[in-house]
Amino acid sequence: MTATEAALWPLFLFAVAASYSPGPNNIMVMSTAARLGLPRTIPMAIGIVAGFGFMVSVVGIGLAVPLQRFPSLVGVMRWAGAIWLLVLAWKIGSAPGGTNGSERPAMGFLAAAGFQWINPKAWIMAVAAAATFVIPGHGPVASSLLRAAVFAAVGLTSIASWMLLGLGAGRLLATPGRLRRFNIAMGALLAASVVPAVLE
């Protein structure tokens, strides 16, 4: 096993644990798939993976340093993310128990990609990966791109799993009343995910 491979394994395990655990991205994808099905969830899911991969690469290349110099900017971004998550939680929780076929997801590709920059869990993951997992024999840019590639690969499988879980839940919750209760539960979970961000 090469030094690069030896360094990538711990990163891979970290990416699996971080990506598969519940968080704003996974809850939104699961809820959208349950309500609207896979075709209308896929753009959001791909946006999440692409946006977070880009974020990991940019943070690793050097964005973390200026953010450490200006901690007030981090606070502003954290609160902006918390407010936006609460808005999304309200939209999900107040969604009707059925769909007329024209309902749109809370976010499309670009919005989901951009959302990563105010997603508290995404920031924690990106900064932790950049600070913890150094790839021997690679400069900052190459290391950041390798980290981003690992997160993108794991993220695709993670987000697909949450989409399929949501699709299965949607089939089990075929009646409007059950789907309405599911929407309320998903909205509450998303709102609860804000708590660690604002208390940190």
Side-chain angles (χ1 to χ4, degrees):
M1 181 180 291
T2 67
T4 298
E5 290 170 339
L8 287 177
W9 270 110
L11 173 63
F12 171 77
L13 295 175
F14 172 74
V16 168
S19 299
Y20 276 84
S21 61
N25 289 333
N26 295 335
I27 293 169
M28 287 188 303
V29 163
M30 180 180 173
S31 172
T32 303
R35 290 184 297 113
L36 306 178
L38 290 184
R40 284 186 279 175
T41 308
I42 287 174
M44 175 198 291
I46 295 174
I48 287 169
V49 174
F52 184 65
F54 178 69
M55 180 183 185
V56 168
S57 64
V58 171
V59 167
I61 290 169
L63 185 59
V65 173
L67 286 175
Q68 288 171 349
R69 290 185 61 195
F70 302 101
S72 59
L73 181 59
V74 176
V76 168
M77 294 174 75
R78 177 184 296 142
W79 279 102
I83 291 167
W84 182 238
L85 283 172
L86 290 175
V87 170
L88 291 175
W90 174 257
K91 284 184 170 185
I92 290 170
S94 61
T99 178
N100 58 14
S102 62
E103 185 182 352
R104 299 178 64 183
M107 289 188 279
F109 174 86
L110 289 177
F115 170 69
Q116 302 316 301
W117 294 92
I118 57 170
N119 179 350
K121 183 183 176 185
W123 272 107
I124 292 168
M125 291 166 58
V127 172
T132 307
F133 301 100
V134 177
I135 314 297
H138 294 75
V141 174
S143 291
S144 295
L145 292 176
L146 278 170
R147 284 191 294 267
V150 169
F151 270 103
V154 172
L156 280 173
T157 62
S158 167
I159 219 76
S161 300
W162 282 89
M163 278 196 302
L164 292 174
L165 187 60
L167 187 63
R171 288 176 178 163
L172 290 174
L173 304 168
T175 65
R178 289 178 183 172
L179 191 54
R180 177 82 180 101
R181 288 190 290 275
F182 174 79
N183 291 341
I184 292 171
M186 290 296 100
L189 279 174
L190 187 56
S193 73
V194 173
V195 175
V198 296
L199 293 182
E200 188 176 299

